[in-house]
Amino acid sequence: MSTNTAEAELKHGVSVFKKYRNLLEELTRKNIRLKYRNSWLGIFWSFLQPLLNMIVLSVVFGGLFGKHSEYIICYPVFLFTGRLLYDFFNTATKQAMTSFRRNAAIIKKVYVPKYMYPLSSIFSCFVTFAISILCYISVWIFFKLTGISGGANLTIDWHALLFFVPMFFILVFSTGVGLILSVLCVYFRDIEYIWDVIMRLLFYMVPILYPIQNINKSGDRNWIIYVIKINPLYSMIELFRQCVLYGMPLSWKLLLYGGVVSFATLGFGILIFNWKSDDLIYHL
């Protein structure tokens, strides 16, 4: 493909996106409304649900991982920082994966750029994620003031202002993965169940419940550490903890790895989506 052709296609894609961006906003709002439809508490669940999950997991695993560990300042807050990013990735990719099936009737009748459906699903989950940050702030303040579970040791400095970096990385990464899964799910419906198993495995393989330093670095377990660090979610969760929990400069190695993998995944997702987008309607 020539440079002129590629540039023309890029300009066309940007112009189409601008033309339908209002539709993207409306689809995002619709997804948020549908999520909390017929719920008494409505969007307040975006605040309450992560809080309840943190309480349950802290009670169950706090005694196992939260005590006698020099690498954990306050276990409930440590758990919350990891769980927030994992929950967003889990929910966003699952919603994007099933977006074509949920909107099949509209797709068959009305022309809209098909990427609007997985994108709106991911963006609606990101809005919920952003609201959950308010819950995190409230939890941080509570443990800091009460001193429960080592909360008195919590500190904050200007590095916390960099929290948007890992949030942006995981949004880009989730978009790439979501585009790939949305295509695969049209052709292979079983991918929905396979992905659910993979996400359950990732929950325990990524250091959400425990610090990676707790893994014994003996020869027979070194491979576990390598597997964990290869996972892009590890770099994003660790970057988030570095700025909002530990108040330390972001690791340039994690920044480089997380950024490269995020944008590479997005690029691959766009390629796969563009390759198969015209055929999707025949398989819905």
Side-chain angles (χ1 to χ4, degrees), residues 4 7 15 31 42 52 62 74 98 101 103 115 186 192 258 262-263 283:
N4 292 335
E7 185 178 352
S15 64
N31 289 335
L52 295 176
C74 176
T98 59
R101 189 182 64 198
N103 297 281
Y115 58 76
V186 171
E192 183 176 348
S262 296
F263 283 97
H283 299 271

Side-chain angles (χ1 to χ4, degrees), residues 25-253:
E25 294 176 4
E26 186 58 36
L27 288 173
T28 300
R29 293 193 190 97
K30 187 196 77 170
N31 289 335
I32 296 173
R33 290 195 298 266
L34 288 177
K35 181 176 181 180
Y36 299 106
R37 185 177 57 183
N38 299 327
S39 171
W40 288 357
L41 295 179
I43 202 168
F44 184 67
W45 276 113
S46 300
F47 187 96
L48 187 60
Q49 187 175 13
L51 178 63
L52 295 176
N53 287 334
M54 182 209 67
I55 293 173
V56 172
L57 292 175
S58 296
V59 171
V60 175
F61 295 103
L64 182 61
F65 299 116
K67 296 181 179 179
H68 312 297
S69 177
E70 59 181 305
Y71 304 106
I72 295 179
I73 298 176
C74 176
Y75 185 73
V77 179
F78 173 88
L79 175 65
F80 208 164
T81 53
R83 186 64 194 253
L84 271 179
L85 271 70
Y86 168 85
D87 282 349
F88 165 68
F89 178 75
N90 181 31
T91 306
T93 52
K94 287 183 178 179
Q95 289 294 312
M97 178 170 53
T98 59
S99 59
F100 289 130
R101 189 182 64 198
R102 298 196 312 271
N103 297 281
I106 300 176
I107 294 173
K108 293 177 180 179
K109 295 179 181 178
V110 181
Y111 170 76
V112 172
K114 297 181 182 62
Y115 58 76
M116 289 291 175
Y117 297 103
L119 278 186
S120 62
S121 297
I122 294 169
F123 288 167
S124 64
C125 292
F126 191 75
V127 172
T128 303
F129 176 38
I131 296 173
S132 299
I133 295 295
L134 299 176
C135 182
Y136 172 80
I137 294 173
S138 301
V139 168
W140 192 98
I141 294 173
F142 171 80
F143 282 100
K144 178 63 177 179
L145 294 178
T146 61
I148 299 173
S149 299
N153 297 321
L154 290 170
T155 58
I156 192 170
D157 61 16
W158 68 269
H159 292 101
L161 299 176
L162 300 175
F163 73 95
F164 67 90
V165 176
M167 286 180 63
F168 177 67
F169 281 174
I170 200 166
L171 173 61
V172 173
F173 182 61
S174 300
T175 302
V177 175
L179 289 175
I180 296 171
L181 290 176
S182 66
V183 173
L184 291 177
C185 193
V186 171
Y187 294 93
F188 311 102
R189 298 297 173 93
D190 291 343
I191 195 69
E192 183 176 348
Y193 308 105
I194 296 173
W195 187 248
D196 187 58
V197 174
I198 291 175
M199 290 308 304
R200 290 178 185 272
L201 177 62
L202 284 179
F203 180 75
Y204 296 101
M205 285 299 294
V206 179
I208 297 173
L209 300 172
Y210 56 89
I212 195 172
Q213 293 87 350
N214 279 13
I215 299 177
N216 187 353
K217 293 185 178 180
S218 59
D220 58 336
R221 293 191 178 181
N222 277 340
W223 68 271
I224 298 178
I225 298 177
Y226 294 142
V227 169
I228 290 174
K229 289 186 175 181
I230 288 174
N231 187 341
L233 284 181
Y234 164 77
S235 63
M236 298 167 196
I237 290 175
E238 191 62 24
L239 285 170
F240 193 69
R241 282 174 173 158
Q242 284 178 356
C243 59
V244 304
L245 183 59
Y246 301 128
M248 58 187 294
L250 300 181
S251 167
W252 67 268
K253 291 183 179 179

Side-chain angles (χ1 to χ4, degrees), residues 12-21 24 115-116 119:
H12 176 70
V14 172
S15 64
V16 171
F17 181 82
K18 288 182 179 180
K19 179 181 179 181
Y20 288 95
R21 63 183 179 182
L24 178 60
Y115 58 76
M116 289 291 175
L119 278 186

